[in-house]
Amino acid sequence: MFESIDPRSPTPLYEQIAARVRVAVAAGELSAGNALPSVRTLARDLRVNPATVVQAYRDLAMDGFVEIRHGQGTFVQDVPRFMRDEERTAQAEKLVRKLLQDAARLGISAEEILQVLSVETGVDIRE
Amino acid sequence: MFESIDPRSPTPLYEQIAARVRVAVAAGELSAGNALPSVRTLARDLRVNPATVVQAYRDLAMDGFVEIRHGQGTFVQDVPRFMRDEERTAQAEKLVRKLLQDAARLGISAEEILQVLSVETGVDIRE
DNA sequence: GTCACTGTATGGGTTAACTGGTACAGTACG
DNA sequence: CGTACTGTACCAGTTAACCCATACAGTGAC
């Protein structure tokens, strides 16, 4: 499951690990209640420090993807629980802000982005 | 023109400076051939180190927004040369696709993103 | 309690990004 | 030539991110 960790990648190890878990959950490889590998087990398998795995798991816990239980393990959260509407909106806002920042760097206005996005989604916008 | 520099912002100073120039070019405040403030002048105005301004200018030169001439100054590039409309749209589409991918990863639909973006930009959308 | 598992906390080493200070180099004008 | 402007190069200090090593703490079965 975690065969794709690349120490030479510019993206941090902990982020690679977290990303792998995210797609596993999204793809249904991991269901609610399933336990993730223990920090030590995964650390050994990936030849990485336990603290690095912890960082990945904490990252996931922050977003509500998993629940960490001290002494028991780390478990995939109930899907409806891991992301309620407010949290989803917060995540969406975060993504949008990042997009607008990237766009501004290229001299692309928010309106242009909105235009493209509306085409992409097939939703009309009022001018 | 460069009144909006914030030393306490998490985004680097040189990036703030470069971003300001980018939007100025995009908005037509600066046209092709126009000279940017000299590194020393701008550094003094912003109470920043000349090297920081240089970094911003080099960043812009990398993307082709400006041309740096040693001993003469830094000049805005011909607009049609650094990014024509089609290229702008292509860039925008690229950004949007990436956004939608990230959103999907979090289980957020395109419609939700559009909703947030419309709020962010103050543009209404038809349901 | 003891043992074998789980996550946690803290501090250190390495590296890279960021910013600044100062001296160097090209250009234009008189 | 000299002067006054332009960008350039180099090095140092600070900070933050990343990763590791190791000791600490909770849980459950025996």
Side-chain angles (χ1 to χ4, degrees):
Chain A
M1 161 172 180
F2 288 97
E3 61 294 324
S4 55
I5 300 298
D6 179 14
R8 294 164 311 178
S9 166
T11 69
L13 296 178
Y14 79 92
E15 234 175 79
Q16 294 183 43
I17 299 171
R20 188 64 192 80
V21 174
R22 282 198 171 90
V23 301
V25 171
E29 298 176 37
L30 286 173
S31 308
N34 285 165
L36 267 53
S38 79
V39 291
R40 279 174 191 73
T41 303
L42 187 52
R44 181 170 42 71
D45 289 358
L46 297 178
R47 297 163 173 260
V48 155
N49 193 277
T52 302
V53 177
V54 167
Q55 197 171 355
Y57 283 8
R58 285 181 63 90
D59 213 47
L60 292 164
M62 283 295 178
D63 291 351
F65 275 81
V66 301
E67 180 185 356
I68 300 175
R69 299 191 207 130
H70 192 171
Q72 300 185 51
T74 303
F75 303 87
V76 178
Q77 276 282 50
D78 245 355
V79 180
R81 262 169 63 199
F82 86 69
M83 211 184 230
R84 286 194 297 270
D85 287 351
E86 312 144 21
E87 293 176 6
R88 293 169 59 87
T89 307
Q91 288 291 338
E93 280 181 1
K94 198 170 157 189
L95 287 175
V96 167
R97 283 183 210 285
K98 188 175 180 311
L99 170 72
L100 292 179
Q101 209 167 9
D102 289 347
R105 235 178 57 79
L106 292 170
I108 299 173
S109 71
E111 284 72 21
E112 286 177 282
I113 291 292
L114 190 59
Q115 188 68 40
V116 171
L117 188 55
S118 78
V119 171
E120 203 82 14
T121 57
V123 177
D124 283 345
I125 61 174
R126 300 178 204 273
E127 290 293 331
Chain B
M1 161 173 182
F2 288 98
E3 60 293 324
S4 55
I5 300 299
D6 178 14
R8 296 163 309 180
S9 166
T11 69
L13 296 178
Y14 79 90
E15 232 176 79
Q16 293 183 45
I17 298 171
R20 188 64 193 77
V21 173
R22 283 196 170 90
V23 302
V25 171
E29 298 175 36
L30 286 173
S31 307
N34 286 165
L36 266 54
S38 80
V39 292
R40 280 174 191 73
T41 304
L42 186 52
R44 182 169 42 72
D45 289 357
L46 297 178
R47 295 163 173 263
V48 155
N49 193 278
T52 302
V53 177
V54 167
Q55 198 170 353
Y57 283 9
R58 284 182 63 91
D59 213 47
L60 292 164
M62 282 294 179
D63 291 350
F65 275 81
V66 301
E67 180 186 355
I68 301 175
R69 298 191 208 130
H70 192 171
Q72 300 185 51
T74 304
F75 303 86
V76 177
Q77 277 282 51
D78 243 356
V79 179
R81 262 166 62 198
F82 82 76
M83 207 187 229
R84 287 193 297 269
D85 284 353
E86 311 141 23
E87 291 176 7
R88 290 170 59 86
T89 307
Q91 287 291 339
E93 278 180 2
K94 197 171 160 192
L95 287 176
V96 167
R97 282 183 210 287
K98 188 177 180 308
L99 170 72
L100 292 179
Q101 207 167 10
D102 288 348
R105 230 170 50 80
L106 293 168
I108 298 172
S109 72
E111 284 71 20
E112 287 176 281
I113 291 292
L114 189 60
Q115 187 68 42
V116 171
L117 188 56
S118 78
V119 170
E120 203 83 14
T121 57
V123 177
D124 282 345
I125 62 173
R126 302 178 203 274
E127 291 293 332

